[in-house]
Amino acid sequence: MAGEQPFVEHARDGDVHVLRIANAPVNTLRTEVRAGLLDGIKAAAREGARAIVLIGSGRNFSAGAEMTEFGKPRKPPSLPEVFDAIEQSKIPVVAAIHGNALGGGLELALACHARVAAPGAQVGLPEVKRGFVPGAGGTQRLPRLIGMEALRLIVSGDPVPSEEAAKLGFVDAVVQGDLEHAAIAWARQHAGDKFVLAKHRTDRIAGYDAAKFDEAAKKLTARSRGQDSPKGCVESVRAAFTQSFEDGLNVEREQFTRLVQGEQSQALRHIFFGEREAVRIPDLPADAKSATVNKLVVIGGGTMGGGIAMSAANNGLPVTIVETSEEALQKGLARCEANWQRSVGSGRLTQAEYEKRRALLTGTTDFDKAVGEADLVIEAVYENMAVKKEIFARLDKAARPGVVLASNTSTLSIDEIASATQRPELVVGMHFFSPANVMRLLENVKGSKSNPTAIATATEVGKRIGKLPVLVGNCDGFVGNRMTGKRGPQIEKLLLEGCLPQDIDRVMEAYGMAMGPLATGDLAGLDIGAAVRKARGTVAPVADAVVAAGRLGQKTSKGYYDYDENRKRMPSKEVEAIILDLAEKMQVRRRKIDDQEILERVLLPMVNEGARILEEGIAYRAVDIDVIFANGFGWPAFRGGPMFFADRLGLKAVRDKLAHYAEATGDRNLQPAALIETLAKEGGSFAAMKGPGKV
């Protein structure tokens, strides 16, 4: 259509032509971009260009393929067609990389005759994290440029900076100053060079050692826990070393097609897009603005408080820890320093970067002075309502008017905490996950009076300190803890009816969980759950008996499991005896329980509670729940989350299974939620629910 902005801009600098991808904000390689590149290469040839510079507009070279086109009929030209045109061009094509060149974006650069990059640009092939393999020659061209190192980059999916890419050999030069000008000068200077295209290189794939390759592949896939795409990456890269370029492309294409159509890739893409959706708050007014936060104060320097403070300092935000005594303060600061020093020792952090972060972290015992200077306060003391209300009353008096006060509570009512202040509209929950300096999820909790400024501030500060903020409503346990709490009664029943701890954990770890629920309990400390049950007046016969036997978890070298000096877990004969004795006393007849029943009885109670959460408007969208579980509760992203699990099973089947288990186990909580009943009758799904709920 006349007057439309082109997706690829064509400019000239003398005898060097510039093709600029203009598909903001990340320059994905949609159909119009591919067509524009093809047209641009042909035009440069017609016009007698000496060299072509391919660059991205805005902040990025290209983030790769347009994933919204997956599963739809592809319109020509394909990426391989564009790459063929580049590789057949008699005019050298030089990729000029800044920002990110990821996935198909890097594959585009690898097809070029040469690559130059700005300092700090990030390059990588993250397709494995979306459940498939690079599908446009990345698994064939990268090994031909850098050899065995390609296996690590492709199987991990982790990007590397341009400086490392230059050392490895797939970036020809890191250039200073204005990238476009520098790339044009470099292309003009090297236009007469004899470039060897990646597809024609054989020096780095010569002398293939199958045993060495297999050993490296085994190490790289050791933690894949049932995920298929790392194995597909291995086989595709292996083909680069053992087959011709064209045959290798065929292997890559077969792996890509198989994987991209599979459930795991659909799940990973569900989480990928869900993370982008979850940070959008539908009912936040367009003019809502975050408070300006230049100084964060964290109340409490324990494990959680220290981790929150580290997250702030790691991301350039000055932070002060407030403690009640100098001894506690120094202990908290020392813990932060030790964590950073471990990173320095492992090479993941430079000494200079450590010193920069440490300089942003201060500590004090002067509560009123520190809080009076704060732009945002996050309370991170232990879970006790009386203590939290006392602290918030003090915060309200010491903090400047307009300053947001946040609580890192994991279960307690934000409304009750806010009632201790004269500014309930500026009180929110900011629930971090342990270890807070590592875990990405941040459950932000909206109280009944929390205003748009408080919500916007919690959201923006969360993003700023490297977290994924998901806004949820105020209820006991919020989303994640409320849902995981519902699997406890079924785990107890499974243990009494025929399972041992290792049976349940084996099934859940085979599903992809990093750690089964009983091993997780041992890691956290079984006395913590016991204290919660006591406070709430509830019982869990097996868990209570294990704690009564002095088995509190890893910290006592015995919980549901026995632990050696290296904290390696082993089945416990004592726990087996406790379970068998309880079953006999409670007249529960034990039987063999198959793996599918174990899986369903652990997962379906969480699905059911997730449906209730959606009914109540505690979460905006089903995908928000899935994002919370994938980022904070060890749910394998390649399984998509509990609500995705339910949709794949089909809500009619979910309804029927819940009703069956409710009757079989006498657990009224398993009666299907009203929303599940409705969606099952309508043939609907959680994913297809119209519009977000209201938090």
Side-chain angles (χ1 to χ4, degrees):
M1 210 175 186
E4 273 193 356
Q5 185 71 21
F7 284 93
V8 176
E9 299 165 351
H10 192 169
R12 295 180 60 169
D13 186 309
D15 54 0
V16 177
H17 286 226
V18 177
L19 300 181
R20 187 179 298 106
I21 303 171
N23 182 25
V26 293
N27 296 326
T28 54
L29 301 173
R30 59 187 289 175
T31 302
E32 294 85 349
V33 171
R34 301 193 300 272
L37 289 171
L38 205 54
D39 290 344
I41 291 163
K42 292 174 182 176
R46 286 195 307 268
E47 295 169 22
R50 188 160 179 253
I52 299 171
V53 168
L54 178 56
I55 195 168
S57 62
R59 297 182 178 180
N60 293 286
F61 178 75
S62 172
E66 179 59 66
M67 282 202 289
T68 57
E69 294 182 351
F70 284 13
K72 299 175 183 176
R74 284 295 181 97
K75 297 177 183 177
S78 65
L79 271 183
E81 286 177 76
V82 176
F83 296 176
D84 285 346
I86 291 172
E87 291 175 324
Q88 290 167 14
S89 171
K90 292 182 171 56
I91 305 164
V93 182
V94 178
I97 299 168
H98 72 299
N100 294 315
L102 302 173
L106 178 57
E107 289 179 302
L108 171 62
L110 294 175
C112 293
H113 297 77
R115 291 148 295 281
V116 299
Q122 295 288 309
V123 292
L125 296 170
E127 286 88 346
V128 67
K129 298 180 181 181
R130 310 287 173 257
F132 48 92
V133 304
T139 66
Q140 303 306 300
R141 290 184 178 90
L142 189 59
R144 284 170 166 80
L145 288 171
I146 66 173
M148 277 284 289
E149 282 292 337
L151 183 66
R152 172 178 65 87
L153 297 183
I154 292 169
V155 174
S156 74
D158 295 332
V160 296
S162 53
E163 292 82 358
E164 183 176 345
K167 288 178 184 174
L168 289 171
F170 65 106
V171 163
D172 295 272
V174 176
V175 295
Q176 303 296 323
D178 180 84
L179 177 64
E180 186 170 321
H181 291 158
I184 290 168
W186 193 95
R188 183 174 285 123
Q189 179 185 348
H190 293 274
D193 291 1
K194 289 186 178 180
F195 293 101
V196 180
L197 290 164
K199 65 185 288 185
H200 294 145
R201 289 275 297 271
T202 58
D203 54 312
R204 299 303 298 271
I205 58 172
Y208 168 68
D209 184 329
K212 186 177 178 184
F213 184 95
D214 288 343
E215 183 183 356
K218 185 178 179 181
K219 287 180 181 176
L220 287 165
T221 57
R223 293 193 168 191
S224 57
R225 289 190 178 277
Q227 187 174 346
D228 294 334
S229 55
K231 299 167 192 170
C233 287
V234 168
E235 294 314 309
S236 298
V237 174
R238 188 194 306 276
F241 288 90
T242 60
Q243 301 189 36
S244 70
F245 182 75
E246 291 303 326
D247 288 344
L249 284 181
N250 290 335
V251 171
E252 178 189 89
R253 176 52 51 178
E254 288 166 7
Q255 293 287 349
F256 175 84
T257 302
R258 175 181 67 85
L259 291 165
V260 82
Q261 293 171 351
E263 183 176 323
Q264 290 192 6
S265 180
Q266 292 175 36
L268 285 160
R269 282 179 273 148
H270 169 76
I271 294 297
F272 176 77
F273 288 116
E275 288 176 359
R276 280 143 187 78
E277 186 69 12
V279 297
R280 300 187 181 105
I281 302 172
D283 54 7
L284 191 67
D287 60 353
K289 290 184 179 178
S290 166
T292 301
V293 177
N294 295 318
K295 182 68 176 288
L296 173 66
V297 165
V298 177
I299 307 297
T303 302
M304 287 302 296
I308 295 167
M310 285 181 71
S311 294
N314 288 348
N315 290 278
L317 179 60
V319 57
T320 298
I321 291 175
V322 177
E323 260 295 358
T324 53
S325 70
E326 190 63 31
E327 181 184 358
L329 177 62
Q330 293 308 319
K331 185 177 179 181
L333 293 173
R335 187 184 295 111
C336 294
E337 290 170 352
N339 283 335
W340 276 321
Q341 287 293 353
R342 275 194 292 273
S343 296
V344 172
S346 67
R348 288 177 289 129
L349 188 68
T350 66
Q351 183 65 25
E353 182 61 27
Y354 158 68
E355 290 170 4
K356 179 181 173 184
R357 296 179 184 188
R358 182 62 185 86
L360 292 169
L361 173 64
T362 55
T364 184
T365 57
D366 192 334
F367 184 101
D368 291 345
K369 184 174 186 298
V371 172
E373 295 172 350
D375 298 317
L376 169 67
V377 181
I378 301 176
E379 163 272 315
V381 304
Y382 59 93
E383 288 286 271
N384 180 287
M385 180 59 80
V387 172
K388 288 185 185 284
K389 289 177 75 171
E390 180 185 345
I391 288 173
F392 269 77
R394 287 185 68 191
L395 290 174
D396 190 40
K397 292 184 175 67
R400 301 191 315 276
V403 168
V404 174
L405 309 177
S407 175
N408 175 52
T409 180
S410 57
T411 58
L412 301 177
S413 169
I414 294 301
D415 288 338
E416 188 173 347
I417 291 170
S419 72
T421 75
Q422 299 299 311
R423 61 178 92 190
E425 73 283 357
L426 290 174
V427 176
V428 291
M430 291 182 74
H431 176 208
F432 292 79
F433 288 75
S434 186
N437 55 303
V438 174
M439 295 294 285
R440 190 167 168 236
L441 179 65
L442 172 60
E443 250 186 343
N444 282 336
V445 186
K446 179 183 179 181
S448 61
K449 296 183 179 178
S450 303
N451 69 16
T453 296
I455 299 304
T457 301
T459 301
E460 290 308 309
V461 170
K463 291 179 189 174
R464 184 176 169 187
I465 63 174
K467 303 304 177 188
L468 176 64
V470 182
L471 186 66
V472 301
N474 183 39
C475 65
D476 183 20
F478 315 130
V479 170
N481 284 330
R482 174 174 163 179
M483 286 173 64
T484 54
K486 295 302 179 183
R487 72 188 180 187
Q490 282 300 308
I491 289 173
E492 283 277 323
K493 289 177 183 294
L494 284 167
L495 290 170
L496 290 169
E497 291 171 22
C499 292
L500 293 174
Q502 55 269 29
D503 299 321
I504 296 171
D505 284 346
R506 173 183 51 78
V507 170
M508 299 317 299
E509 288 166 11
Y511 183 72
M513 303 290 184
M515 190 179 285
L518 298 159
T520 300
D522 277 358
L523 178 63
L526 301 182
D527 51 328
I528 295 173
V532 171
R533 289 192 297 276
K534 184 177 180 182
R536 295 182 176 183
T538 59
V539 296
V542 177
D544 291 341
V546 171
V547 170
R551 304 181 66 94
L552 307 184
Q554 286 192 18
K555 59 190 171 186
T556 58
S557 296
K558 54 183 184 177
Y560 285 110
Y561 297 92
D562 294 332
Y563 294 88
D564 65 15
E565 62 277 7
N566 297 314
R567 293 202 170 188
K568 180 183 177 182
R569 76 185 193 223
M570 297 163 286
S572 169
K573 287 292 183 186
E574 183 182 1
V575 168
E576 182 177 353
I578 289 171
I579 292 169
L580 294 176
D581 183 55
L582 271 172
E584 186 177 351
K585 287 178 179 174
M586 296 174 71
Q587 297 183 325
V588 178
R589 186 174 179 180
R590 290 176 67 80
R591 61 185 173 87
K592 172 70 175 174
I593 302 177
D594 67 36
D595 289 1
Q596 187 62 28
E597 181 179 341
I598 293 171
L599 183 72
E600 290 173 355
R601 287 177 65 182
V602 173
L603 298 188
L604 288 176
M606 293 192 283
V607 169
N608 209 28
E609 197 65 18
R612 295 188 181 112
I613 281 168
L614 290 169
E615 288 171 11
E616 296 167 20
I618 298 299
Y620 284 110
R621 296 151 289 232
V623 74
D624 291 8
I625 296 173
D626 288 339
V627 165
I628 285 170
F629 273 83
N631 286 278
F633 289 86
W635 194 291
F638 69 87
R639 297 291 190 185
M643 313 317 279
F644 182 89
F645 165 79
D647 278 348
R648 295 295 297 191
L649 195 59
L651 294 190
K652 288 181 181 177
V654 168
R655 176 197 60 194
D656 294 346
K657 287 177 183 291
L658 280 167
H660 165 72
Y661 289 129
E663 183 177 357
T665 68
D667 187 347
R668 293 176 58 194
N669 188 61
L670 291 186
Q671 288 295 340
L675 178 59
I676 290 176
E677 292 278 14
T678 300
L679 292 174
K681 286 175 187 173
E682 296 173 351
S685 67
F686 291 122
M689 285 174 61
K690 291 182 180 178
K694 182 175 176 60
V695 168

